[in-house]
């Protein structure tokens, strides 16, 4: 019996013409009138049935048991090739061969356990909240806030007004050569606060720690130390001391910060730049700089994504010659500003209206100024990590308290980035002069500051035991989902070891009280007698939300 899908070949007996097997098949004969075999149905029937029964003509089958259908067709096509050269030929349909799909081997018991264990230990993706913010769980809290399922990921929408940056990290002059930072034609927008009289001395500042991510990054190659010249060597021990601090990994892990911003839709990885190796191109540049930035909050009008740390002012001071300000400019954010934070930085909407200097200009300037040896880029000195707080070993001292303790001077209420850079540099210079043997920093309050702090205590809640994956926006989302009360401000989280803490500020003391009261969970007192509640995390564990004042 012929296989399904094969051609049935008929033969004729006697001396008559041989019948074309292809002509009577479903496919038909592609050679048409040029075929040398018979296409006569009656003759085929007579040849196949000498008894006169033409109805059995197609039942006589000649098939090869050793040749495949494809081989038979190929031989027939070869025999007719010369006849079919100049004859239009209908393209035959392709032949599909069904090949049985091999069954996958069933996983072993050990593999099943391994998969189950891996699934249970999964952690949130970069930018994803550490809390379960599902509506059902948020509205039906029992005891503590349990979090088991990850939130749905939102689709990313391209931002039409966001600037497109080239993927090349090396920002050079138009002719391809590295331009000196002193010769760059940049649209600098000068800014100063009339109430601040900048001192004539200098300072090395340290950027505020970026929010950490949850996954540990692969071990990077060792970072270079400043050893190129005696001016670089001056800062070597301070760089080493900064790197030994428990919070250094979270504060200066730029790869994790890149991924965090990319996941949040704030920037792409290629928007970041790196310092180039030290060489002849930068031998006339300062060995160290003091840098301070002012930030505002911006919002993408398409996706609604907010960037709480959008650069709006950049100040750079020459640490080798503290009286020289290398750059002081306002910076135009890429997204519309949603919160200028004027009470912090003194910058208003009017100040930024006609500013043309952008983040890309800032990157161009910094790359023409800094090498991998410059005491700012990969060789960081952070005064918050050189000194320790006397009152709390787990916290880092503020620049204001450093100024009072180390320099015996008061800082202005409104931040001025040039002044802040100089103060930080002075504190770093003091650390170097003492060989690292400096006294702990005591938290000092002026009357005005103490009154302000006492008032602020009632509008704040302390959230502590935060894992290193926590970002400020996670806390905003948590309070909105579980209490429907939006915080006024969530500052940078301060990390020490494997945990962090943050003072979350609300608009009024009533809002803070409502947020705490609405938060479900068992209430306990800490060792100081202050009340707090626990909030469960996705992967197990919990964070604590605590009142700032002891209540009866």
């Amino acid at each position: 019996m012929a296989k399904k899908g094969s051609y049935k070949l008929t033969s004729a007996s006697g001396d008559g013409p041989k019948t074309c097997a292809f002509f009577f098949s479903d496919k038909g004969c592609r050679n048409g009138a040029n075929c040398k075999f018979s296409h006569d149905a009656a003759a085929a029937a007579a040849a196949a049935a000498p008894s006169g029964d033409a109805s059995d003509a197609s039942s006589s089958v000649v098939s090869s048991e050793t040749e495949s259908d494809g081989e038979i067709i190929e031989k027939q096509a070869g025999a007719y090739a010369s006849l079919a050269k100049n004859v239009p030929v209908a393209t035959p349909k392709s032949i599909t061969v069904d090949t049985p799909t091999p069954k996958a081997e069933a996983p072993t018991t050990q593999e099943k356990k391994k998969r189950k264990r891996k699934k249970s230990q999964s952690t949130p993706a970069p930018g994803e909240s550490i809390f379960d913010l599902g509506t059902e769980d948020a509205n039906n809290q029992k005891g503590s806030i349990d979090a088991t399922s990850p939130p749905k990921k939102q689709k990313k929408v391209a931002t039409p007004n966001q600037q497109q940056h080239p993927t090349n990290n090396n920002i050079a002059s138009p002719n391809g050569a590295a331009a000196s930072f002193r010769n760059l034609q940049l649209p600098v927008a000068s800014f100063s606060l009339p109430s601040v009289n900048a001192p004539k001395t200098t300072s090395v500042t340290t950027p505020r720690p970026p929010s950490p991510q949850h996954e540990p990054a692969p071990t990077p190659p060792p970072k270079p130390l400043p050893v190129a010249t005696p001016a670089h060597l001056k800062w070597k021990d301070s760089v080493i001391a900064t790197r030994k601090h428990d919070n250094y990994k979270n504060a200066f892990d730029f790869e994790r910060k890149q991924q965090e911003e990319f996941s949040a839709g704030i920037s792409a990885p290629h928007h970041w730049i790196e310092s180039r190796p030290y060489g002849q191109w930068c031998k006339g540049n300062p060995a160290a700089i003091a840098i301070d930035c002012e930030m505002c909050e911006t919002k993408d009008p398409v996706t609604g994504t907010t960037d709480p740390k959008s650069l709006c002012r950049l100040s750079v001071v020459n640490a080798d010659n503290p009286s020289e300000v290398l750059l002081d400019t306002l910076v135009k954010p890429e997204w519309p500003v949603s919160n200028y934070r004027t009470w912090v930085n003194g910058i208003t909407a009017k100040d930024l209206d006609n500013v043309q200097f952008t983040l890309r200009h800032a990157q161009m300037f910094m790359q023409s100024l800094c090498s991998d040896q410059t005491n700012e880029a990969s060789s960081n000195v952070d005064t918050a990590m050189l000194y320790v707080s006397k009152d709390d070993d787990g916290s880092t001292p503020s620049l204001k308290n450093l100024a009072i303790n180390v320099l015996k001077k008061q800082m202005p209420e409104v931040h001025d980035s040039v002044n802040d850079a100089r103060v930080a540099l002075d504190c770093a210079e003091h650390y170097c002069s003492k060989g690292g043997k400096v006294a702990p920093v005591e938290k000092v309050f002026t009357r005005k500051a103490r009154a302000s702090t006492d008032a602020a205590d009632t509008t704040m809640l302390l959230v502590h035991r935060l894992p290193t994956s926590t970002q400020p926006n996670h806390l905003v989302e948590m309070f909105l989902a579980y209490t429907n009360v939006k915080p006024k401000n969530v500052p940078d989280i301060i990390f020490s070891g494997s945990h962090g803490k943050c003072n979350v500020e609300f608009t009024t003391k009533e809002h803070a009280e409502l947020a705490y009261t609405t938060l479900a969970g068992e209430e306990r007192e800490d060792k100081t007698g202050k009340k707090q509640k626990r909030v469960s995390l996705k992967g197990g564990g919990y964070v604590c939300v605590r009142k700032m004042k002891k209540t009866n």
Side-chain angles (χ1 to χ4, degrees):
M1 184 175 179
K3 296 179 182 179
K4 184 178 180 181
S6 63
Y7 289 106
K8 295 183 179 182
L9 307 179
T10 62
S11 64
S13 60
D15 297 328
K18 301 297 183 181
T19 301
C20 176
F22 293 98
F23 181 76
F24 296 101
S25 69
D26 293 336
K27 302 291 183 179
C29 179
R30 64 182 182 180
N31 291 317
N34 292 323
C35 181
K36 66 179 182 178
F37 294 94
S38 173
H39 290 177
D40 190 328
S51 61
D53 189 358
S55 62
D56 294 331
S58 61
S59 65
S60 177
V61 177
V62 178
S63 62
S64 172
E65 296 295 328
T66 59
E67 292 181 332
S68 66
D69 295 341
E71 290 172 333
I72 296 172
I73 296 171
E74 186 177 355
K75 288 182 179 180
Q76 288 280 9
Y80 303 150
S82 61
L83 297 174
K85 271 187 179 179
N86 300 318
V87 179
V89 178
T91 305
K93 296 181 180 178
S94 59
I95 301 174
T96 304
V97 180
D98 294 329
T99 305
T101 304
K103 294 183 178 179
E105 295 183 4
T108 63
T109 304
Q110 186 176 2
E111 290 174 338
K112 289 180 179 179
K113 290 181 178 179
K114 186 175 180 181
R115 292 178 185 175
K116 186 175 181 181
R117 183 165 57 252
K118 184 176 181 181
K119 183 177 181 181
S120 65
Q121 295 174 347
S122 62
T123 56
E128 186 179 337
S129 177
I130 60 172
F131 304 98
D132 182 6
L133 304 180
T135 304
E136 182 177 351
D137 289 340
N139 295 333
N140 297 282
Q141 302 173 63
K142 295 181 179 180
S144 63
I145 303 172
D146 191 14
T148 55
S149 59
K152 295 181 180 179
K153 296 182 179 179
Q154 296 182 350
K155 295 183 179 178
K156 296 193 180 299
V157 182
T159 308
N161 70 321
Q162 197 166 6
Q163 296 183 8
Q164 298 298 318
H165 301 313
T167 57
N168 188 356
N169 278 342
N170 293 323
I171 305 174
S173 60
N175 61 6
S180 168
F181 73 94
R182 297 186 187 277
N183 298 328
L184 296 176
Q185 300 299 316
L186 301 175
V188 173
S190 299
F191 182 78
S192 63
L193 295 171
S195 60
V196 176
N197 295 319
K200 295 183 179 180
T201 52
T202 39
S203 65
V204 172
T205 74
T206 48
R208 296 174 183 173
S211 301
Q213 285 188 341
H214 69 288
E215 289 186 2
T219 303
K223 295 181 179 180
L225 288 169
V227 295
T229 68
H232 289 86
L233 278 169
K234 171 184 176 180
W235 302 103
K236 179 181 176 181
D237 291 341
S238 299
V239 170
I240 294 173
T242 298
R243 292 180 183 177
K244 287 182 178 179
H245 195 275
D246 290 340
N247 196 35
Y248 178 80
K249 183 178 179 181
N250 291 320
F252 294 104
D253 192 338
F254 298 125
E255 290 184 0
R256 293 174 66 187
K257 182 62 179 177
Q258 277 183 303
Q259 185 58 42
E260 177 186 306
E261 288 194 354
F262 176 68
S263 300
I266 295 174
S267 69
H270 65 263
H271 290 185
W272 286 58
I273 62 171
E274 294 181 0
S275 300
R276 291 171 287 174
Y278 180 83
Q280 188 66 36
W281 67 273
C282 62
K283 286 190 175 179
N285 292 2
I289 60 172
I291 180 173
D292 190 66
C293 303
E294 300 300 338
M295 306 295 185
C296 62
E297 180 187 87
T298 59
K299 185 175 182 179
D300 185 337
V302 177
T303 65
T305 301
T306 58
D307 182 2
K309 299 177 184 177
S310 186
L311 182 66
C312 60
R313 185 180 178 186
L314 171 64
S315 301
V316 183
V317 173
N318 184 348
D320 298 344
N321 177 19
S323 62
E324 182 183 14
V325 177
L326 302 176
L327 178 69
D328 180 31
T329 181
L330 294 173
V331 182
K332 187 78 167 181
E334 291 182 322
W335 293 345
V337 178
S338 52
N339 190 341
Y340 286 90
R341 295 177 182 158
T342 306
W343 70 92
V344 175
N345 54 42
I347 299 171
T348 65
K350 184 178 179 181
D351 294 324
L352 290 176
D353 274 349
N354 298 317
V355 174
Q356 300 298 316
F357 193 99
T358 67
L359 175 63
R360 199 60 174 161
H361 289 115
Q363 289 178 323
M364 187 179 201
F365 178 85
M366 295 305 295
Q367 194 169 49
S368 66
L369 170 64
C370 299
S371 74
D372 58 359
Q373 296 276 301
T374 308
N375 180 26
E376 183 279 326
S378 58
S379 298
N380 308 95
V381 172
D382 192 332
T383 51
M385 299 181 190
L386 296 181
Y387 294 85
V388 297
S389 177
K390 182 178 180 179
D391 302 320
D392 185 357
D393 292 338
S395 66
T396 55
S398 67
L399 185 60
K400 181 173 289 189
N401 281 317
L402 277 173
I404 295 173
N405 281 259
V406 178
L407 307 178
K408 311 303 179 187
K409 62 188 299 184
Q410 293 286 342
M411 295 284 286
E413 291 299 320
V414 178
H415 290 201
D416 181 274
S417 48
V418 172
N419 184 59
D420 290 356
R422 283 186 163 131
V423 170
L425 178 56
D426 286 343
C427 293
E429 291 273 12
H430 177 79
Y431 181 90
C432 289
S433 67
K434 297 294 183 181
K437 297 179 181 179
V438 292
V441 176
E442 184 178 357
K443 187 178 289 187
V444 180
F445 294 97
T446 61
R447 279 186 184 178
K448 184 177 179 180
R450 184 175 294 280
S452 175
T453 302
D454 290 342
D457 282 349
T458 60
T459 64
M460 291 184 180
L461 295 176
L462 171 67
V463 186
H464 61 106
R465 286 187 56 86
L466 293 168
T468 56
S469 60
T470 313
Q471 302 170 30
N473 64 293
H474 291 161
L475 300 183
V476 174
E477 293 168 357
M478 182 197 76
F479 279 107
L480 277 174
Y482 295 139
T483 71
N484 289 322
V485 180
K486 183 178 180 179
K488 176 182 177 181
N489 181 44
V490 180
D492 292 342
I493 299 170
I494 299 174
F495 289 93
S496 178
S498 58
H499 290 98
K501 61 182 180 180
C502 180
N503 290 331
V504 179
E505 182 185 2
F506 294 85
T507 306
T508 65
K509 63 181 181 180
E510 288 78 17
H511 284 86
E513 182 65 29
L514 178 62
Y516 180 83
T517 304
T518 309
L519 196 64
E522 180 184 357
E523 185 177 60
R524 303 181 181 184
E525 287 188 357
D526 67 358
K527 59 184 180 181
T528 66
K530 296 174 182 176
K531 294 181 179 180
Q532 62 182 12
K533 293 182 179 180
R534 292 184 176 183
V535 179
S536 299
L537 302 175
K538 283 180 181 176
Y542 60 90
V543 301
C544 293
V545 179
R546 196 195 75 184
K547 288 189 173 183
M548 300 295 289
K549 282 186 172 292
K550 186 175 180 179
T551 55
N552 296 328

